[in-house]
Amino acid sequence: DYLVLKKRKGFVRLAIIHQTPLVPVFGLGISDLYTTYSFLLPLTTFIQKKTGVALPIFHGRYLTPLPYKVPIKILVGTPIPPPKNTSSDPMKADPALVDELHQKYIEAVKELHKKHADN
Protein backbone atom coordinates (compact mmCIF):
# COMPACT_ATOMS: atom_id res chain seq x y z
CA ASP A 1 0.00 0.00 0.00
CA TYR A 2 1.27 3.45 -0.83
CA LEU A 3 -0.02 7.00 -1.07
CA VAL A 4 1.08 9.75 -3.44
CA LEU A 5 1.12 13.03 -1.51
CA LYS A 6 4.50 14.72 -1.82
CA LYS A 7 3.57 17.15 -4.62
CA ARG A 8 -0.18 17.25 -4.00
CA LYS A 9 -1.01 20.30 -1.93
CA GLY A 10 -4.26 21.59 -3.42
CA PHE A 11 -6.41 19.96 -0.73
CA VAL A 12 -4.24 21.61 1.93
CA ARG A 13 -4.63 25.04 0.28
CA LEU A 14 -8.40 24.60 0.25
CA ALA A 15 -8.42 23.54 3.91
CA ILE A 16 -6.54 26.70 4.89
CA ILE A 17 -8.65 29.02 2.72
CA HIS A 18 -11.94 27.57 4.01
CA GLN A 19 -10.65 26.89 7.55
CA THR A 20 -11.63 23.22 7.37
CA PRO A 21 -9.79 20.58 9.42
CA LEU A 22 -7.91 17.89 7.49
CA VAL A 23 -8.70 14.32 8.49
CA PRO A 24 -5.89 11.83 7.80
CA VAL A 25 -7.30 8.75 6.03
CA PHE A 26 -5.55 5.66 4.66
CA GLY A 27 -6.89 2.43 3.19
CA LEU A 28 -5.02 -0.82 3.91
CA GLY A 29 -5.48 -3.56 1.32
CA ILE A 30 -6.55 -1.24 -1.51
CA SER A 31 -3.70 -2.39 -3.76
CA ASP A 32 -5.02 -5.98 -3.56
CA LEU A 33 -8.37 -5.13 -5.19
CA TYR A 34 -7.01 -5.53 -8.74
CA THR A 35 -4.23 -7.30 -10.59
CA THR A 36 -2.08 -4.78 -12.44
CA TYR A 37 0.47 -5.30 -15.19
CA SER A 38 3.60 -3.35 -15.91
CA PHE A 39 4.65 -4.76 -19.30
CA LEU A 40 3.42 -1.59 -21.07
CA LEU A 41 4.51 0.75 -18.27
CA PRO A 42 6.88 2.84 -20.44
CA LEU A 43 4.09 3.46 -22.99
CA THR A 44 1.42 4.24 -20.39
CA THR A 45 3.81 6.54 -18.50
CA PHE A 46 4.60 8.40 -21.74
CA ILE A 47 0.88 8.83 -22.51
CA GLN A 48 0.22 10.02 -18.95
CA LYS A 49 3.01 12.63 -19.11
CA LYS A 50 1.85 13.93 -22.50
CA THR A 51 -1.91 13.95 -21.86
CA GLY A 52 -2.31 13.89 -18.09
CA VAL A 53 -4.52 10.79 -18.43
CA ALA A 54 -3.47 7.56 -16.72
CA LEU A 55 -4.16 4.34 -18.61
CA PRO A 56 -3.67 1.52 -16.12
CA ILE A 57 -3.73 -2.06 -17.34
CA PHE A 58 -5.61 -4.09 -14.76
CA HIS A 59 -8.36 -6.60 -14.08
CA GLY A 60 -10.32 -7.92 -11.17
CA ARG A 61 -12.55 -10.95 -10.70
CA TYR A 62 -13.21 -13.01 -13.82
CA LEU A 63 -10.92 -10.69 -15.85
CA THR A 64 -13.44 -7.87 -15.44
CA PRO A 65 -13.27 -4.48 -13.69
CA LEU A 66 -15.04 -6.02 -10.66
CA PRO A 67 -12.65 -5.84 -7.68
CA TYR A 68 -11.49 -8.99 -5.93
CA LYS A 69 -13.16 -9.76 -2.62
CA VAL A 70 -10.38 -8.86 -0.21
CA PRO A 71 -10.55 -7.29 3.25
CA ILE A 72 -9.94 -3.55 3.34
CA LYS A 73 -9.25 -1.60 6.48
CA ILE A 74 -9.95 2.15 6.36
CA LEU A 75 -7.93 4.10 8.92
CA VAL A 76 -9.27 7.48 10.02
CA GLY A 77 -7.12 9.74 12.17
CA THR A 78 -7.72 12.76 14.36
CA PRO A 79 -8.67 15.96 12.48
CA ILE A 80 -5.84 18.48 12.07
CA PRO A 81 -7.07 22.08 12.46
CA PRO A 82 -5.66 24.46 9.83
CA PRO A 83 -3.68 27.54 10.88
CA LYS A 84 -5.20 30.97 10.28
CA ASN A 85 -4.55 32.19 6.75
CA THR A 86 -2.05 35.07 6.84
CA SER A 87 -2.28 35.85 3.12
CA SER A 88 -3.56 39.31 2.16
CA ASP A 89 -5.84 37.70 -0.43
CA PRO A 90 -8.50 35.61 1.36
CA MET A 91 -8.75 33.26 -1.64
CA LYS A 92 -5.04 32.37 -1.56
CA ALA A 93 -3.16 30.48 1.11
CA ASP A 94 0.25 31.46 2.39
CA PRO A 95 2.73 28.92 0.88
CA ALA A 96 4.59 28.55 4.20
CA LEU A 97 1.33 27.59 5.94
CA VAL A 98 0.50 25.16 3.13
CA ASP A 99 3.89 23.46 3.50
CA GLU A 100 3.54 23.30 7.28
CA LEU A 101 0.04 21.79 7.25
CA HIS A 102 0.95 19.45 4.39
CA GLN A 103 3.88 18.09 6.42
CA LYS A 104 1.63 17.62 9.49
CA TYR A 105 -0.87 15.71 7.34
CA ILE A 106 1.81 13.43 5.87
CA GLU A 107 3.19 12.71 9.34
CA ALA A 108 -0.31 11.94 10.65
CA VAL A 109 -0.95 9.48 7.77
CA LYS A 110 2.43 7.81 8.34
CA GLU A 111 1.66 7.49 12.04
CA LEU A 112 -1.75 5.94 11.27
CA HIS A 113 -0.14 3.43 8.94
CA LYS A 114 2.65 2.58 11.38
CA LYS A 115 0.15 2.11 14.22
CA HIS A 116 -2.29 -0.15 12.33
CA ALA A 117 -0.41 -1.79 9.43
CA ASP A 118 0.62 -4.90 11.35
CA ASN A 119 -2.77 -5.46 13.04
Side-chain angles (χ1 to χ4, degrees), residues 9-82:
K9 297 182 181 181
F11 70 101
V12 178
R13 264 187 225 98
L14 288 172
I16 292 172
I17 290 168
H18 297 287
Q19 288 298 291
T20 305
L22 286 178
V23 180
V25 177
F26 190 83
L28 292 174
I30 301 293
S31 59
D32 299 330
L33 291 174
Y34 297 98
T35 299
T36 58
Y37 298 97
S38 60
F39 63 90
L40 289 177
L41 191 60
L43 176 63
T44 58
T45 303
F46 173 78
I47 292 170
Q48 182 177 354
K49 285 183 179 179
K50 293 295 182 188
T51 65
V53 177
L55 298 172
I57 301 171
F58 71 96
H59 71 79
R61 284 186 285 164
Y62 317 115
L63 300 176
T64 69
L66 292 172
Y68 292 115
K69 291 182 178 181
V70 295
I72 298 173
K73 190 188 283 188
I74 305 298
L75 309 175
V76 181
T78 307
I80 305 167

